[in-house]
Amino acid sequence: MSDAKVRCDNAPLSENGHSNPSPDNARPQFRRKWLIVQSLQWPSTCNCLTAMDISRPDIKKKKRRQQLIWGAVAVVVVAAIAFFVTRLKPAAPSVDRATVWTDTVKRGSFERQVRGPGTLVPREESIQLIPAQTDATVVRIRVLPGTKVTPDTILLDLADPQLQQKLLDAQLALQGAQSDYKSLQATLQSTLMDKKAASAQVNSDYTQDQLQAQIDKQLFDLGVKSGIEYNASKNKAEQLTAQHQISQQQIDVNTKAIEVQLASSQTKIDQARALLGLYQKQEQALQVRAGIAGVLVALPTPLSVGQHVAVGTSVAEVIQTDKLKASLKIAETQARDISIGQPSEVDTHNGIIAGKVSRIDPAVLNGTVTVDVELEGALPQGARPDLSVDGTIDLEKLSDVLYVGRPAFGNENSTISLFKVSTDGKTAVRVPVKVGRASVNAIQVIEGLQEGDTVILSDMSSKDNVDKIRLE
């Protein structure tokens, strides 16, 4: 009965306490009482309810066993799903086709080239650097940088008060040297004349004694004069002969001495004249002239009026704009194959000029090598020093080789990875590619690709962690 009560405790009663055959119409708060009364009045009904609540342990064990089996199955299924999920690879990322740059592998020949930026610079023989000739002060600037000048154009005026005093002293020194020369010349000429006069007297006596000796010899032969007289005449003639020779030698020696002394005095004149010429040249240099036709360029340190400049300081620089060369900066790794005389092209962004390599700097600066290109063609309009240009140097021509456009990353003679596009163009797979020699826009393919393959040349470093991509 207790079980029956439990199962029938929700039976409602009517408000007056009597049983209600229609519990559906009863209020919920009387349902419990109604069930109890019904269990007393209709025992068959309650017996049925009691029979339905009889405990069945075998059924519980069977249900428990089924629950354990289904739980084990669920665990196995979940473990299997987790295992297969871990073995699955992530889906290939997608890339917008419009954002990648592709190229097709081709077979044929291509020109190996290297390229580098640079500037136009004047050739060495076209530069006129003007230094200050003396310690001076800038008093006037007549021409500014960028102005076209002629050889006689005055660029600026300098002043040196001490130079005027030096110039005056040099003029006086020259005049003194010239006066000394003339005085010495007169003195030496007078001395020489005295020597020549004495020599003439000796020569006259010599001639007379020679004649007398001949006459005495004839008279001696005729027996008119004695041998003593003849010998005396003969000895005197021989003595005068010796004096005559000595006088001639003295004249020769004096003449040479005069030449030496006059030459020494002339040297002093020349020295004074040279010093005067130097000071005169320095005075003329106070008006700084261009010296050549060209363009005045700015100095690293511009001059200003009133500035003092030391001797040797550069005060102006003029270049000839029609004599320029290209100075290119080539990467050190690409410069090893460059040699003198190789053909080149220089793009001034207003025209292309043909040229050839004229010099390769042996030094390496910031990973680049300076290569000078001599320009052979006419300069385009607007070409000027320090103009930025791009230069291309032809190295060699490769024939019958596989090649493709040069990728964004990858050095020559190495193995790189590229994405090869599938035949349907929807996906691309990473493949290793062995490359050889490279040019500016192409690189030789040795292994990994075939003619007709399409590869992505763009920077794909953001996809380094995947081997396959989808193209959309």
Side-chain angles (χ1 to χ4, degrees), residues 150-214:
T150 62
D152 294 329
T153 301
I154 300 176
L155 307 179
L156 66 155
D157 295 327
L158 305 176
D160 183 8
Q162 295 181 355
L163 182 59
Q164 299 299 325
Q165 183 62 44
K166 293 179 181 179
L167 184 61
L168 179 59
D169 293 341
Q171 290 174 346
L172 295 177
L174 177 60
Q175 293 176 2
Q178 290 174 341
S179 299
D180 293 342
Y181 177 85
K182 292 179 180 180
S183 177
L184 179 61
Q185 185 181 34
T187 300
L188 293 177
Q189 289 294 336
S190 177
T191 303
L192 181 62
M193 292 302 293
D194 293 340
K195 295 293 184 182
K196 287 183 178 181
S199 176
Q201 183 63 41
V202 171
N203 186 39
S204 176
D205 294 342
Y206 163 75
T207 302
Q208 185 178 358
D209 287 347
Q210 286 290 335
L211 181 59
Q212 185 64 43
Q214 291 176 2

Side-chain angles (χ1 to χ4, degrees), residues 7-29:
R7 294 295 304 268
C8 300
D9 59 354
N10 290 326
L13 295 176
S14 61
E15 292 182 358
N16 55 12
H18 297 286
S19 62
N20 191 351
S22 301
D24 294 337
N25 298 327
R27 296 181 181 179
Q29 58 268 32

Side-chain angles (χ1 to χ4, degrees), residues 6 25 44 90 132 167 170 212 270 349 361 366 378 383 446 468:
V6 173
N25 298 327
S44 60
L167 184 61
Q212 185 64 43
D270 295 340
H349 309 295
D361 196 329
N366 297 328
I446 299 178
K468 184 177 181 180

Side-chain angles (χ1 to χ4, degrees), residues 398-413:
L398 301 179
S399 301
D400 193 24
V401 294
L402 281 177
Y403 67 94
V404 71
R406 190 161 184 173
F409 295 100
N411 297 324
E412 60 180 3
N413 299 318

Side-chain angles (χ1 to χ4, degrees), residues 326-330 338 357 359-361 369-373 393:
S327 181
L328 307 179
K329 302 295 183 182
I330 306 297
I338 300 176
V357 177
R359 188 184 74 92
I360 304 172
D361 196 329
V369 176
T370 301
V371 178
D372 290 344
V373 175
I393 302 174

